[in-house]
C-alpha cells in the first residue's frame, strides 16, 4: 500500500514540551514573586504596628516643670502582643542619653532625615524587627530629640511566612497544572489544520489533482503551495504519459496494420500452395506481434489507469456481446467456435476500457490455447453481491505446476508450445480485477478445459 | 522614705544591683535521701501551696521539693539580678513574670497539659497560669450591719459618700508603692475604668490606710480596725477560718483577676522535674471542669462577663517602665494621700 513514512519527533509533543517548560519556569517565578510580595506585606504590617507603638509612646511624652514625663499607654505594647506571643523590647533616649527601657537596644539611624526608620537585627540571640521614631522636644531653654525604638521578635512573622510560602507553592503548582492543560489543548488545536489537510488530501479520488483551495494557516502555506505545485506537475506528467502511451500504440500498430494489408493483398495474388502457406503464417505472425505490442502498451495503460480509477456504471452483458462480436473474425481464423452463454443482466462500477481490455485478454487466451476444434463459452452470472464473468474452453487447460504463478509479469506456462505471447495477459487481467475490488480465479474443469472466472462486486 | 523604697524597687526591676535576696520561709518536702530535688522559688506561702504540693509528692515519691518563699520583688531580684539557680519560679506578679520571659530568662516548655491551656493562660509556652485569683472587696459584717452591701464600685462610692463618719479611717487598700500585687491591681483597675480614680479620691478623703499584704488587711477587717478592704486577694479571704466576720464581694461592674503563674528560669537544673510540676499544677486546677483554672471557689458570685483577667504579655511591661511607674504613682499619691 502507501509507502512507510519515516517519523522523527512530533510537533505536538514538541509544542507541549516547550509549553510545559515555559509553564514550569513561570510557576517557579510566580512562587518567588508571591512569596516576596507576601514577605514585603508581612514586613510592612509589622513595621506599621511597631511604628504605631512608637508613635503612641512619643505622643504621650510631655515636659512638666522642665522634666520629661512619658505616660506610656498600655496599648503601646499590648497591640504588639495581639497576634502572637512575641517578645517586645523598647528604648527611650533623649539626645542619645538612655532614659528607659532596654539600654542594649540601640536605635537604627537612617542616613536620610526620615523620622521613622526600620531595620532587622540580632538581639539577645534572636532576630528582631525594630522601628525608631524621633521627635523634637523642648526642655526649658535647650531643645532635644526624643528617640523611641520599639522592637519585636519575628516568630509569628516566620510562621506567617511559612504559611504564605505554602500558599504560594500551591498557587504556583495549580498555575502549572492549568497551563499544562491549556498546553495540551493548544497543541491539539495548533496541529488540527494539518490533520484536516491530510484528511482532505487522502479523501480525494485518485484522479483528483486539483490544488488545495481551503484556507490554511500561514505556517502551512509553503507546504500547501509546494503540494499544489507538485500536484500540478504530476498532473502534467500524467497527461504527458497518457499521451505517450496512446501515441506509441498508434505508432506501433499503424505500420503493422499496413504490413498486414499488404500481406493479405499478396496472399490473394499468390497461387502456389506452399507460398500461400508462408504468407498466411506471416499474417498470423504479424497479428501476434501486433497483439503482443498492443499488450505491452495495454499493460502500461492499465497500470496508469488502474492507479487513477474513475468508476462508471458498466453493463457487463452488453460489453461481452460487443467483445465477442469483435473477436469473431479472429476465432474464425483459428477455427474456434466462440459462443455467448448465459448473460444475466448485471452492472458493475468500473473503467469500461479496462474491463474490456481484461475480458478481451481472457477470451483471447481461451481462443489461443484451446487447440483444434476448440470451443469457447463466455457467460455472465450473478452470485449474490457479485457478478461473475466466466470464460470456458475445451482445450488442454492450465499446466498444473503449483510452483508457477501465471499472474506474474512475463510468466508463461509450458503448454504454450510455439504459441506467440508476451506473458502479460493474465497480469493485466489480475491488475484490472483487483483495481475494481474483484478477484481472478483460473482453474481446470473436471471434464477438461480451462475455466477463468472474473468476479466483481455488483452495484 | 517611701520614695526611697519605691526607687529601690524600681532599681531592682530595671537596674541590676547585686545583693543577696531576702527569703521569707524555706522548707523541704519529700524523701531526705534523693537526688531528685526540685527547687521552687515562689511568692505563694506554704499554706497556699501545700494542697497542690502534697498530691505531687505522693504521685512522685522519689522527688523532693525545696520550697522557698519570697516577695515578688525579691523573687525578681533572685532571678533577674542574681541568676540564682531555681528550677521553677511561681509568682503572682504577672508583670514581673512577663518581664522575665520577655527578657529571655525563661525556658520554653510544651506538654499535653500546657497545650490544653486556654490562650490567656499561656504566654509563648513560657509562662503558665494555674490559678485565677480575683481582687475582692472584703467588708466587715459588723460595720455593715443595717446597711446594704455594695456590689459594685459605684455602690461602694455612694456608701462611702453617704456615711463618711462611719468609714473615716476604716478603709484599707494596698500601698501600690510597696506591694507589687497592689500596683498590679491598681494599674489594671485604672486601665479598666475611671471610677478607680474617683474611688481613690474618696478613699483618700476618708484617710485610707495602706497595707502591703492581703493577709494583714483581712486581719484588720476581722479585728474591726477596718470596715472595708479594697482589692484584697479573694483566694486568701476565702481560705480563712474566721470567714464569718466578713463578706467577700467580687465587684460586679468588673472584677480584676490575677493569674498565678509558673515559669522555668534559664538557670534551672532539673527542667524535667519543673515540667512535671507545671503539668501537675495545670492538671490539678483543670480537675474543676470546663471553666479550667478554678476561681478559688468564689461560689455563686462569679459572673464570667464581669471578669477582667489580667492579660499576660508585653502590655504589662508598660507598668514596669520607669516613666509610667512614676507618673502612675504620682497620680495615685495625689488622689489617695490628699496632702
Ligand atoms: N485458456 C487457457 N488454457 C490453457 N492455458 C492457458 C489459458 N490461458 C492462459 N493459459 C496459460 O497461462 C499462461 C499465461 O497467460 P498469459 O499471461 O495470457 O500469457 P500469454 O498468453 O502471452 O502466454 C499462458 O502462457 C498459458 O500457459
Ligand atoms: Mg495471453
Amino acid at each position: 500500500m502507501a509507502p512507510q513514512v519515516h517519523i522523527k519527533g512530533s510537533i505536538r509533543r514538541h509544542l507541549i514540551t516547550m509549553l510545559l517548560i515555559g509553564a514550569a519556569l513561570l510557576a517557579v517565578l510566580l512562587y518567588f514573586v508571591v512569596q516576596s510580595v507576601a514577605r514585603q506585606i508581612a514586613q510592612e504590617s509589622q513595621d506599621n504596628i511597631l511604628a504605631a507603638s512608637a508613635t503612641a509612646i512619643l505622643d504621650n511624652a510631655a515636659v512638666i516643670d522642665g522634666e520629661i514625663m512619658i505616660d506610656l499607654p498600655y496599648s503601646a505594647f499590648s497591640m504588639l502582643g495581639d497576634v502572637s506571643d512575641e517578645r517586645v523590647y523598647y528604648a527611650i533616649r533623649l539626645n542619645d542619653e538612655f532614659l528607659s527601657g532596654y539600654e542594649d537596644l540601640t536605635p537604627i539611624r537612617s542616613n536620610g532625615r526620615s523620622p521613622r526608620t526600620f531595620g532587622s537585627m540580632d538581639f539577645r540571640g534572636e532576630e528582631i524587627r525594630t522601628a525608631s521614631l524621633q521627635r523634637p522636644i523642648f526642655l526649658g531653654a535647650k531643645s532635644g530629640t526624643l528617640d523611641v525604638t520599639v522592637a519585636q521578635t519575628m516568630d509569628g512573622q516566620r510562621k506567617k511566612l511559612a504559611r504564605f510560602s505554602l500558599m504560594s507553592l500551591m498557587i504556583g503548582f495549580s498555575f502549572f497544572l492549568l497551563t499544562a492543560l491549556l498546553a495540551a489543548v493548544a497543541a491539539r488545536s495548533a496541529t488540527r489544520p494539518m490533520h484536516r489537510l491530510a484528511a482532505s488530501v487522502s479523501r480525494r479520488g485518485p484522479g483528483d489533482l486539483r490544488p488545495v483551495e481551503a484556507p490554511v494557516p500561514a505556517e502551512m502555506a509553503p507546504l500547501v503551495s509546494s503540494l499544489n505545485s507538485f500536484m500540478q506537475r504530476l498532473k502534467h506528467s500524467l497527461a504527458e504519459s497518457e499521451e505517450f502511451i496512446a501515441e506509441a500504440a498508434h505508432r506501433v500498430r499503424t505500420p503493422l496494420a499496413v504490413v498486414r494489408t499488404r500481406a493479405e493483398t499478396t496472399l490473394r495474388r499468390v497461387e502456389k500452395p506452399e507460398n500461400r502457406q508462408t504468407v498466411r503464417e506471416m499474417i498470423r505472425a504479424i497479428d501476434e506481434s501486433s497483439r503482443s505490442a498492443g499488450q505491452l502498451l495495454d499493460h502500461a495503460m492499465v497500470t496508469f489507469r488502474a492507479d487513477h480509477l474513475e468508476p462508471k456504471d458498466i453493463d457487463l452483458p452488453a460489453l461481452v456481446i460487443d467483445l465477442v462480436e469483435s473477436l469473431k473474425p479472429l476465432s474464425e481464423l483459428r477455427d474456434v467456435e466462440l459462443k455467448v452463454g448465459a448473460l444475466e443482466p448485471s452492472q458493475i462500477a468500473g473503467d469500461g476500457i479496462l474491463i474490456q481490455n481484461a475480458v478481451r485478454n481472457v477470451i483471447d487466451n481461451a481462443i489461443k490455447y484451446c487447440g483444434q476444434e476448440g470451443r469457447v463459452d463466455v457467460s455472465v452470472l450473478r452470485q449474490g453481491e457479485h457478478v461473475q464473468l466466466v470464460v470456458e474452453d475445451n482445450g488442454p487447460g492450465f499446466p498444473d505446476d503449483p510452483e508457477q504463478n501465471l499472474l506474474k509479469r512475463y510468466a508463461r506456462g509450458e503448454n504454450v508450445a510455439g504459441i506467440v505471447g508476451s506473458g502479460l495477459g493474465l497480469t493485466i487481467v489480475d491488475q484490472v480485477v483487483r483495481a475494481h475490488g474483484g478477484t481472478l480465479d483460473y482453474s481446470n474443469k473436471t471434464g477438461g478445459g480451462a475455466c477463468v472466472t472474473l468476479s466483481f462486486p455488483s452495484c | 522614705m517611701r520614695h526611697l523604697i519605691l526607687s529601690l524597687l524600681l532599681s531592682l526591676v530595671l537596674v541590676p544591683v547585686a545583693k543577696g535576696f531576702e527569703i521569707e520561709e524555706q522548707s523541704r518536702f519529700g524523701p531526705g535521701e534523693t537526688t531528685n530535688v526540685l527547687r521552687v522559688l515562689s511568692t505563694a506561702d506554704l499554706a497556699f501551696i501545700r494542697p497542690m504540693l502534697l498530691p505531687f509528692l505522693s504521685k512522685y515519691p522519689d522527688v523532693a521539693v525545696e520550697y522557698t518563699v519570697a516577695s515578688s520583688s525579691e523573687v525578681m531580684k533572685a532571678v533577674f539580678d542574681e541568676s540564682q539557680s531555681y528550677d521553677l519560679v511561681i509568682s503572682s506578679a504577672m508583670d514581673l513574670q512577663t518581664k522575665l520571659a520577655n527578657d529571655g530568662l525563661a525556658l520554653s516548655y510544651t506538654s499535653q497539659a500546657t497545650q490544653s491551656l486556654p490562650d490567656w493562660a499561656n504566654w509563648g509556652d513560657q509562662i503558665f497560669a494555674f490559678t485565677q485569683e480575683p481582687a475582692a472587696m472584703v467588708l466587715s459584717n459588723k460595720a455593715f450591719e443595717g446597711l446594704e452591701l455594695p456590689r459594685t464600685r459605684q455602690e461602694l462610692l455612694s456608701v462611702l459618700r453617704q456615711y463618711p463618719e462611719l468609714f473615716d479611717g476604716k478603709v484599707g487598700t494596698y500601698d501600690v508603692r510597696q506591694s507589687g500585687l497592689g500596683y498590679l491591681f491598681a494599674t489594671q483597675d485604672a486601665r479598666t475604668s475611671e471610677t478607680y480614680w474617683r474611688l481613690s479620691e474618696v478613699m483618700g478623703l476618708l484617710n485610707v490606710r495602706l497595707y502591703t499584704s492581703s493577709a494583714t488587711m483581712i486581719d484588720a477587717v476581722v479585728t474591726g480596725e477596718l470596715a472595708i478592704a479594697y482589692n484584697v486577694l479573694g483566694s486568701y479571704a476565702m481560705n480563712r477560718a474566721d470567714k464569718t466576720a466578713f463578706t467577700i464581694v467580687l465587684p460586679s461592674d468588673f472584677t480584676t483577676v490575677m493569674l498565678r503563674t509558673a515559669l522555668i528560669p534559664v538557670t534551672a537544673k532539673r527542667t524535667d522535674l519543673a515540667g512535671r510540676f507545671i503539668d501537675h499544677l495545670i492538671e490539678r486546677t483543670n480537675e474543676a471542669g470546663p471553666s479550667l483554672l478554678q476561681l478559688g471557689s468564689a461560689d455563686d458570685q462569679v459572673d464570667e462577663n464581669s471578669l477582667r483577667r489580667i492579660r499576660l504579655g508585653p502590655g504589662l511591661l508598660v507598668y514596669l517602665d520607669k516613666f509610667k511607674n512614676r507618673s502612675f504613682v504620682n497620680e495615685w499619691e495625689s488622689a489617695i494621700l490628699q496632702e
Side-chain angles (χ1 to χ4, degrees):
Chain A
M1 272 302 296
Q4 203 202 328
V5 179
H6 298 283
I7 289 170
K8 184 166 176 261
S10 144
I11 292 182
R12 204 171 81 173
R13 225 180 304 131
H14 186 69
L15 203 62
I16 289 179
T17 314
M18 294 310 287
L19 285 173
L20 285 188
I21 291 173
L25 287 178
L26 277 179
V28 170
L29 193 73
L30 193 70
Y31 167 72
F32 284 113
V33 166
V34 169
Q35 210 182 4
S36 94
V37 168
R39 188 186 300 270
Q40 217 161 317
I41 289 171
Q43 179 104 88
E44 257 167 42
S45 72
Q46 191 179 28
D47 285 355
N48 285 342
I49 198 161
L50 284 171
S53 165
T55 308
I57 296 172
L58 274 182
D59 285 351
N60 282 281
V63 177
I64 296 168
D65 299 335
E67 247 197 280
I68 191 151
M69 293 293 284
I70 304 170
D71 188 15
L72 267 71
Y74 175 78
S75 60
F77 294 161
S78 71
M79 69 167 114
L80 297 176
D82 265 355
V83 186
S84 57
D85 294 344
E86 301 284 6
R87 291 182 187 168
V88 172
Y89 307 105
Y90 70 104
I92 304 173
R93 285 183 170 81
L94 180 64
N95 293 338
D96 290 328
E97 179 202 341
F98 175 75
L99 294 183
S100 177
Y102 292 76
E103 193 160 10
D104 46 346
L105 180 70
T106 47
I108 294 178
R109 287 280 143 75
S110 69
N111 317 335
R113 295 249 144 235
S114 164
R116 338 155 90 200
T117 33
F118 302 98
S120 301
M121 61 164 100
D122 242 38
F123 186 72
R124 301 188 178 183
E126 267 196 272
E127 199 191 358
I128 55 167
R129 184 77 187 163
T130 69
S132 291
L133 268 73
Q134 279 103 32
R135 198 188 98 178
I137 201 152
F138 299 97
L139 280 163
K142 61 181 172 119
S143 66
T145 306
L146 191 65
D147 179 307
V148 172
T149 300
V150 179
Q152 195 181 24
T153 50
M154 297 172 77
D155 285 341
Q157 198 80 349
R158 260 193 295 278
K159 271 181 211 138
K160 224 188 288 176
L161 284 179
R163 235 183 17 249
F164 276 135
S165 179
L166 191 74
M167 202 176 76
S168 39
L169 199 71
M170 306 247 274
I171 290 176
F173 187 66
S174 25
F175 173 82
F176 177 74
L177 282 186
L178 200 73
T179 343
L181 202 77
L182 288 179
V185 172
R188 178 177 288 264
S189 80
T191 51
R192 189 169 300 141
M194 249 180 285
H195 292 301
R196 217 181 294 138
L197 177 70
S200 89
V201 170
S202 57
R203 244 199 331 268
R204 284 177 171 217
D208 187 355
L209 292 173
R210 284 172 301 142
V212 174
E213 257 152 18
V216 292
E219 291 79 3
M220 281 168 61
L223 173 69
V224 170
S225 88
S226 51
L227 182 70
N228 282 348
S229 90
F230 177 73
M231 287 200 293
Q232 181 92 45
R233 275 179 284 140
L234 185 63
K235 198 174 177 182
H236 184 70
S237 81
L238 283 177
E240 249 178 14
S241 43
E242 205 168 4
E243 240 166 69
F244 171 78
I245 291 165
E247 180 83 12
H250 180 67
R251 300 237 169 195
V252 172
R253 279 188 188 125
T254 314
L256 282 176
V258 172
V259 173
R260 195 182 187 279
T261 323
R262 291 270 169 86
E264 264 174 20
T265 322
T266 311
L267 182 66
R268 252 176 268 141
R269 268 191 270 146
V270 173
E271 263 144 43
K272 262 197 191 159
E274 63 267 33
N275 287 354
R276 280 184 73 90
Q277 186 59 30
T278 313
V279 174
R280 211 173 266 141
E281 273 166 18
M282 234 170 77
I283 289 173
R284 189 179 295 174
I286 290 166
D287 283 349
E288 294 292 349
S289 353
S290 166
R291 271 224 320 281
S292 287
Q295 260 181 330
L296 268 169
L297 294 168
D298 281 351
H299 178 55
M301 191 263 295
V302 165
T303 309
F304 170 75
R305 288 189 82 109
D307 276 352
H308 311 95
L309 202 65
E310 276 171 82
K312 291 202 176 71
D313 285 356
I314 299 166
D315 184 353
L316 207 53
L319 184 139
V320 168
I321 291 168
D322 279 358
L323 257 182
V324 167
E325 205 56 48
S326 68
L327 284 171
K328 268 273 161 58
L330 182 70
S331 63
E332 275 161 17
L333 202 66
R334 292 287 178 85
D335 291 330
V336 170
E337 194 183 337
L338 177 59
K339 279 203 326 200
V340 174
L343 287 180
E344 295 179 7
S346 49
Q347 288 216 316
I348 60 166
D351 185 325
I353 292 174
L354 293 185
I355 301 284
Q356 198 175 25
N357 204 300
V359 177
R360 184 190 298 119
N361 269 294
V362 178
I363 300 175
D364 202 54
N365 274 352
I367 293 171
K368 241 171 36 174
Y369 298 110
C370 68
Q372 294 292 304
E373 292 176 20
R375 249 186 35 240
V376 174
D377 279 295
V378 186
S379 44
V380 175
L381 306 169
R382 295 198 57 135
Q383 283 289 336
E385 293 293 287
H386 294 269
V387 177
Q388 290 188 334
L389 185 137
V390 185
V391 178
E392 291 167 302
D393 63 53
N394 60 349
F398 289 93
D400 45 52
D401 178 0
E403 292 293 296
Q404 201 186 15
N405 181 3
L406 297 174
L407 302 184
K408 264 167 85 186
R409 247 193 268 187
Y410 311 118
R412 309 198 64 204
E414 68 245 28
N415 63 336
V416 294
I419 300 169
V420 187
S422 61
L424 283 171
L426 288 183
T427 313
I428 292 169
V429 176
D430 183 49
Q431 220 173 353
V432 170
V433 170
R434 272 198 285 130
H436 286 82
T439 52
L440 163 63
D441 270 314
Y442 60 90
S443 58
N444 293 328
K445 294 182 289 182
T446 39
C451 173
V452 179
T453 308
L454 315 186
S455 94
F456 299 97
S458 68
C459 67
Chain B
M1 178 61 198
R2 273 171 181 168
H3 285 278
L4 198 74
I5 294 168
L6 171 74
S7 54
L8 192 70
L9 174 90
L10 286 168
S11 67
L12 290 179
V13 172
L14 296 166
V15 188
V17 176
K19 287 268 153 61
F21 76 103
E22 232 172 79
I23 291 172
E24 288 173 11
E25 313 175 62
Q26 189 168 40
S27 36
R28 195 188 148 106
F29 301 84
E33 63 301 331
T34 177
T35 49
N36 297 327
V37 182
L38 173 68
R39 302 188 69 223
V40 181
L41 180 60
S42 170
T43 61
D45 56 28
L46 286 169
F48 180 90
I49 204 72
R50 199 171 274 118
M52 305 178 189
L53 191 55
L54 295 182
F56 178 76
L57 291 168
S58 53
K59 194 168 164 194
Y60 302 104
D62 61 329
V63 176
V65 175
E66 190 196 292
Y67 194 82
T68 308
V69 182
S71 75
S72 59
S73 55
E74 292 303 305
V75 167
M76 190 67 181
K77 190 169 159 190
V79 180
F80 197 87
D81 305 324
E82 298 172 15
S83 298
Q84 299 266 1
S85 172
Y86 283 95
D87 302 318
L88 195 68
V89 174
I90 292 174
S91 175
S92 55
M94 296 171 70
D95 43 1
L96 297 180
Q97 295 280 80
T98 299
K99 174 137 181 86
L100 284 179
N102 190 66
D103 289 13
L105 295 175
L107 293 175
S108 291
Y109 173 69
T110 43
S111 69
Q112 225 172 341
T114 63
Q115 271 156 0
S116 76
L117 284 174
D119 254 5
W120 50 261
N122 174 348
W123 190 76
D125 285 331
Q126 295 189 330
I127 309 178
F128 309 101
F130 64 96
T131 65
Q132 299 188 79
E133 299 178 40
M137 305 193 276
V138 170
L139 310 174
S140 158
N141 287 342
K142 213 166 123 210
F144 275 88
E145 227 169 47
L147 291 177
E148 200 174 322
L149 291 176
R151 293 278 160 207
T152 64
R153 285 174 183 73
Q154 280 76 15
E155 284 173 23
L156 180 65
L157 257 177
S158 48
V159 89
L160 289 179
R161 280 182 179 142
Q162 213 173 336
Y163 308 102
E165 67 292 342
L166 218 65
F167 294 110
D168 190 38
K170 299 210 132 198
V171 180
T173 191
Y174 270 115
D175 185 341
V176 304
R177 299 160 301 186
Q178 297 194 46
S179 160
L181 184 62
Y183 181 64
L184 185 64
F185 279 155
T187 50
Q188 292 296 323
D189 270 11
R191 187 171 87 72
T192 312
S193 164
E194 282 298 318
T195 317
Y196 173 73
W197 291 117
R198 272 189 285 144
L199 189 59
S200 297
E201 276 163 23
V202 171
M203 288 198 286
L205 287 171
L206 293 175
N207 297 310
V208 68
R209 287 152 167 256
L210 299 177
Y211 293 80
T212 56
S213 85
S214 288
T216 49
M217 262 189 276
I218 298 164
D219 286 343
V221 172
V222 171
T223 58
E225 201 178 316
L226 286 182
I228 300 169
Y230 179 75
N231 268 357
V232 174
L233 261 188
S235 50
Y236 275 58
M238 228 92 69
N239 292 334
R240 286 183 68 121
D242 44 12
K243 262 209 284 228
T244 47
F246 53 81
T247 304
I248 306 165
V249 174
L250 301 184
S252 61
D253 49 343
F254 68 90
T255 303
T256 307
V257 177
M258 176 271 283
L259 309 177
R260 207 177 284 269
T261 57
L263 61 79
I264 307 175
V266 282
T267 51
K269 295 201 173 90
R270 295 303 301 264
T271 51
D272 55 330
L273 298 180
R276 259 193 251 172
F277 195 63
I278 287 174
D279 289 353
H280 169 76
L281 289 176
I282 294 169
E283 278 156 14
R284 220 197 70 81
T285 48
N286 272 356
E287 277 164 22
S291 82
L292 291 167
L293 313 159
Q294 66 202 105
L295 266 176
S297 64
D299 312 325
D300 49 311
Q301 294 191 29
V302 182
D303 171 13
E304 264 291 326
N305 292 326
S306 64
L307 294 184
R308 295 280 181 279
R309 286 187 196 91
I310 301 174
R311 250 178 73 196
L312 284 167
L316 289 175
L317 298 180
V318 164
Y319 300 108
L320 294 179
D321 182 79
K322 183 162 75 176
F323 287 106
K324 181 71 180 181
N325 180 278
R326 193 191 298 155
S327 61
F328 185 84
V329 169
N330 280 346
E331 202 165 342
W332 179 82
E333 282 176 338
S334 66
I336 217 150
L337 298 181
Q338 301 284 325
E339 280 158 2

